[in-house]
Amino acid sequence: WNRIDYDLEGKSAITDWRVVGKVESLHGKAGQLTLVEVKPKTGRYHQIRRHMAWVCESPLVGDTTYDGGDENALRLRKRGLFLCSNEIAVEHPYYNTPAGQLDWIKVEKDEKMKGCLREDEESGKVVVVAKIDLPEKFEAFLRHESSRSEKFLNQLEGQGKNVDAQIDD
């Protein structure tokens, strides 16, 4: 995991993030689009969007506020903002009490891992987790961008052109 610790409006703002996948893209930064998982540790206004755009210099696809508005950003805006929450974890109200902690110790490891209960790696607290799959639009968009990029590069190679020089133009 990577950590962004960058104050927003004079208040501490921390976001942990990691790369989940990458695809080639004709309009992505350095010819790529990257799927990331983020875990905001604080809750500042537009924190994820501003941290990715300002600190990582890689705005979210479709972010009309922070994408900089260049030609590539405008082309990537067509399908909306690619930001969603697909997992939430909240502290369990009983298992984090003194009596609940004694009961938690008695729960078999297999049972702990099965359902929506688990121990948070950082805090050691028992959390209830709800998770859904990413919306299909994420995978569909990445497949589309990868396919377009591959088709374009194959056409250039078929014409005997220098691919690196053509992309930079």
Side-chain angles (χ1 to χ4, degrees), residues 84-88 130-135:
C84 79
S85 175
N86 70 325
E87 183 176 330
I88 187 167
K131 184 174 183 171
I132 60 171
D133 291 333
L134 281 177

Side-chain angles (χ1 to χ4, degrees), residues 2-8 11-17 38-44 47-48 51 55 122:
N2 302 286
R3 174 161 282 192
I4 301 169
D5 187 350
Y6 181 84
D7 290 0
L8 297 172
K11 295 180 181 176
S12 174
I14 299 170
T15 303
D16 290 342
W17 66 277
V38 296
K39 292 184 180 182
K41 300 300 181 182
T42 54
R44 305 290 171 233
Q47 176 177 319
I48 295 169
H51 273 173
V55 178
E122 292 177 25

Side-chain angles (χ1 to χ4, degrees), residues 84-113:
C84 79
S85 175
N86 70 325
E87 183 176 330
I88 187 167
V90 294
E91 291 183 11
H92 193 279
Y94 174 69
Y95 283 128
N96 291 305
T97 66
Q101 289 172 346
L102 293 174
D103 286 343
W104 179 251
I105 292 169
K106 297 174 189 172
V107 175
E108 295 293 325
K109 186 175 183 177
D110 291 344
E111 291 301 312
K112 290 178 183 178
M113 302 307 281

